[in-house]
Amino acid sequence: MDVLGVLNLGDVAQTFSKIGTFPVFDLAYYIVSILYLKYEPGSVEVARKSPVASWLCAMLYCFASYILADVLLGGCPLDYFQYNSHILLASTIWYLIFFCPLNLFYKCVAFLPVKLVLVALKEVVRARKIAAGVHHAHHAYHNGFLIMVIIGYVKGSGVALISNFEQLLRGVWSPDTNEILNMSFPTKASLYGAILFTLQEAHLLPVSKSTLICLFTLFMATTKVILTARHSHGSPFVLIESWVCHLLFGSPLGGGEEEHHASPAPAPVAPVSPVKTKEELGEGTRKRKSKKAE
């Protein structure tokens, strides 16, 4: 018997898990993904100078999770591009966000109330992709629990894991933005979600898959909406991660996300030399000239 069965959520979760993601949820996923691409420095200039490079970046933002998962499982990285309706929809969104007259489409989808709805809908797709990735890996490697976690993690993280390659397409190289070194909340949540779905797939978690999808989607959508509304890049896992890392690895206890993203301390001020600077000498010369004029 499911843990949440007594709450009569089974039927609701089952109905929710059967709702298709195309076109509504996928549309929101593509809009938010390409919207984040436009937020990247220099992306608008790249779109004007090299639309092909910009389009390739947009496709990576939308389909990188499928490409990377296929590569890891020995499939063709171009396999997902056989779905013409998805490619056409994502390409249309890319064109409207970057080239719509007067930037009208971008202004509409970037309007905060609209954006919050789209962000929530996007998390529905993320949860489904993690669950599907774990199930696919389980089908190929029945006892490969680590493989299940990796594929689910890749499916949920999307372009974040290959962000450096995407940056190269835009002519940017920022190795310090490596997502493995500085994991954002969606990337961390995808990892934890992949672990949960792997445990469920191995029948070690007494919850049905539909219920887990529903609960994980609700958590992700709520958290992302709150973070987006607050314009925050924080994570609700920071406090727990800080204590766990301190106990297991001896890491110093951090002060949270604010400390992680805090600006570097100002450089120490060099001691003032007793010798006068050129500006001071010039100021003294001007004062002497003014006295002579008087």
Side-chain angles (χ1 to χ4, degrees):
M1 181 177 180
D2 293 336
V3 173
L4 298 177
V6 294
L7 299 179
N8 296 324
L9 293 179
D11 294 339
V12 176
Q14 189 71 20
T15 303
F16 175 76
S17 63
K18 291 182 178 179
I19 298 177
T21 59
F22 188 84
V24 177
F25 297 108
D26 286 325
L27 176 66
Y29 187 91
Y30 300 152
I31 290 176
V32 175
S33 297
I34 300 176
L35 195 61
Y36 288 156
L37 171 61
K38 190 168 184 176
Y39 290 159
E40 291 294 325
S43 61
V44 176
E45 290 75 10
V46 172
R48 302 293 181 184
K49 296 179 181 178
S50 179
V52 174
S54 177
W55 179 82
L56 287 174
C57 292
M59 296 303 102
L60 282 180
Y61 263 76
C62 295
F63 308 118
S65 58
Y66 300 103
I67 296 172
L68 190 55
D70 286 336
V71 170
L72 293 177
L73 291 175
C76 176
L78 300 179
D79 185 65
Y80 197 81
F81 285 86
Q82 65 180 308
Y83 302 109
N84 298 322
S85 56
H86 289 266
I87 302 302
L88 180 60
L89 181 60
S91 300
T92 303
I93 296 302
W94 163 77
Y95 185 85
L96 290 175
I97 287 180
F98 280 94
F99 302 105
C100 181
L102 302 178
N103 234 6
L104 289 178
F105 186 80
Y106 168 77
K107 293 177 181 177
C108 290
V109 297
F111 182 53
L112 186 58
V114 177
K115 184 180 177 180
L116 294 180
V117 174
L118 295 174
V119 165
L121 295 178
K122 178 185 178 181
E123 297 309 314
V124 175
V125 180
R126 189 194 304 275
R128 301 287 185 87
K129 288 165 68 175
I130 296 174
V134 171
H135 179 75
H136 188 188
H138 176 72
H139 180 74
Y141 302 93
H142 190 70
N143 295 318
F145 299 135
L146 181 59
I147 298 177
M148 297 180 204
V149 172
I150 292 175
I151 300 303
Y153 173 52
V154 166
K155 279 292 192 75
S157 300
V159 74
L161 296 180
I162 56 172
S163 58
N164 295 118
F165 175 73
E166 181 273 330
Q167 290 168 357
L168 287 178
L169 291 178
R170 293 188 284 112
V172 179
W173 174 242
S174 301
D176 57 319
T177 60
N178 190 314
E179 190 68 20
I180 301 297
L181 297 176
N182 303 293
M183 296 176 67
S184 60
F185 164 70
T187 307
K188 292 179 181 179
S190 297
L191 176 59
Y192 301 148
I195 295 174
L196 291 176
F197 281 105
T198 299
L199 293 175
Q200 192 282 327
E201 197 74 41
H203 305 290
L204 299 175
L205 197 64
V207 178
S208 67
K209 179 180 292 187
S210 59
T211 302
L212 185 57
I213 290 176
C214 184
L215 292 178
F216 187 75
T217 302
L218 183 61
F219 165 74
M220 288 296 298
T222 304
T223 307
K224 279 293 292 181
V225 166
I226 294 174
L227 293 177
T228 304
R230 296 174 56 190
H231 302 285
S232 171
H233 298 284
S235 169
F237 306 127
V238 170
L239 184 60
I240 299 176
E241 290 172 347
S242 177
W243 279 101
V244 171
C245 291
H246 177 69
L247 293 175
L248 297 181
F249 310 112
S251 303
L253 288 175
E257 193 71 16
E258 288 76 9
E259 178 180 311
H260 180 71
H261 291 281
S263 57
V269 179
V272 179
S273 173
V275 181
K276 290 185 177 182
T277 63
K278 293 182 179 180
E279 290 77 6
E280 292 173 337
L281 292 174
E283 183 67 23
T285 303
R286 285 193 295 270
K287 288 181 179 179
R288 288 194 296 269
K289 289 181 178 181
S290 61
K291 288 181 180 180
K292 291 180 181 179
E294 293 174 356

